[in-house]
Amino acid sequence: QVQLQQSGPGLVKPSQTLSLTCAISGDSVSSSSAAWNWIRQSPSRGLEWLGRTYYRSKWYNDYAVSVKSRMTINPDTSKNQFSLQLDSATPEDTAVYYCARGCTYCSTTYHFDYWGQGTLVTVSS
Amino acid sequence: QSALTQPASVSGSPGQSITISCIGTSSDVGGYNYISWYQQHPGKAPKLMIYDVSYRPSGVSNRFSGSKSGNTASLTISGLQAEDEADYYCSSYTISSTRVAFGGGTKLTVL
């Protein structure tokens, strides 16, 4: 059974970096069939896919254009986890952030079959 | 404003069937069979209920079914039960730069 455990601060000051980590059990961040995603949810923006990292003989990253200039997703194979860094945070980045696995048995890894518990991140001074 | 259009709310009595629509465009729903549906209870993470338009992950009740016609996808829940009361979101791959489009969500109330 795949489990994703999120960690990271719930409060970030404006202009600082929002950082979250997602620890994986029951699968590998280096899996050649999975993709590891960050998704956020807020009342104003709804559900929003932010980006992903995945391994297919080498590492790849995809980011939503809305955050591409500010976002970095890094895999950590030694700890079997992946992380999110969102630079220059603004109050508009306030949301519940989820990590999620891209489905390995679906026709696309843009279906998300396992989710972390969610982290409410508030950007405020 | 969400890329995919869902009704804000639907309701039904126990045992009845309901259908939730998800309207997109030829760039997402109409162009690909990469449509999924998620159930979300308050304070919980979304749960995958339907993938690839009409397939159910292991463990999901066969009371849940999905379909697509043109630019509209649909989720049908038959034999409504109290525990089905939740928010439901559709999702589709999209050729646009957002890669993944979500609907705004539909609140299902079991009367």
Side-chain angles (χ1 to χ4, degrees), chain B residues 13-100:
Chain B
S13 299
Q16 289 186 332
S17 295
I18 63 95
T19 297
I20 300 171
S21 61
C22 172
I23 302 171
T25 69
S26 57
S27 296
D28 38 64
V29 173
Y32 307 91
N33 287 329
Y34 299 150
I35 295 157
S36 51
W37 289 89
Y38 300 87
Q39 176 192 66
Q40 187 177 33
H41 287 108
K44 300 294 188 182
K47 175 186 176 183
L48 181 65
M49 304 301 284
I50 296 288
Y51 67 94
D52 292 347
V53 177
S54 61
Y55 292 85
R56 285 185 306 275
S58 174
V60 172
S61 170
N62 59 9
R63 297 185 298 104
F64 292 82
S65 62
S67 63
K68 187 186 92 166
S69 177
N71 294 338
T72 301
S74 299
L75 172 71
T76 297
I77 309 173
S78 59
L80 272 178
Q81 299 179 0
E83 64 255 34
D84 299 334
E85 186 162 291
D87 293 326
Y88 291 85
Y89 295 89
C90 63
S91 175
S92 173
Y93 172 78
T94 171
I95 200 172
S96 79
S97 58
T98 60
R99 300 293 184 93
V100 179

Side-chain angles (χ1 to χ4, degrees), chain A residues 9-107:
Chain A
L11 180 64
V12 176
K13 288 183 166 50
S15 80
Q16 293 191 340
T17 296
L18 186 160
S19 298
L20 295 171
T21 299
C22 182
I24 303 164
S25 58
D27 201 346
S28 171
V29 71
S30 304
S31 164
S32 59
S33 57
W36 304 98
N37 301 263
W38 287 99
I39 296 163
R40 68 184 177 185
Q41 184 175 29
S42 66
S44 60
R45 300 170 75 102
L47 284 164
E48 181 182 14
W49 177 81
L50 299 176
R52 64 179 184 169
T53 189
Y54 58 99
Y55 185 77
R56 301 290 186 269
S57 302
K58 68 174 186 176
W59 288 101
Y60 295 88
N61 289 313
D62 289 330
Y63 300 107
V65 68
S66 60
V67 294
K68 188 173 184 177
S69 64
R70 300 190 292 133
M71 173 164 287
T72 304
I73 298 177
N74 284 318
D76 184 340
T77 57
S78 66
K79 295 181 178 179
N80 201 30
Q81 64 187 30
F82 63 108
S83 63
L84 159 72
Q85 287 189 83
L86 185 63
D87 298 327
S88 305
T90 74
E92 287 67 44
D93 294 316
T94 294
V96 176
Y97 286 75
Y98 293 100
C99 59
R101 189 183 81 162
C103 178
T104 59
Y105 52 85
C106 308
S107 295

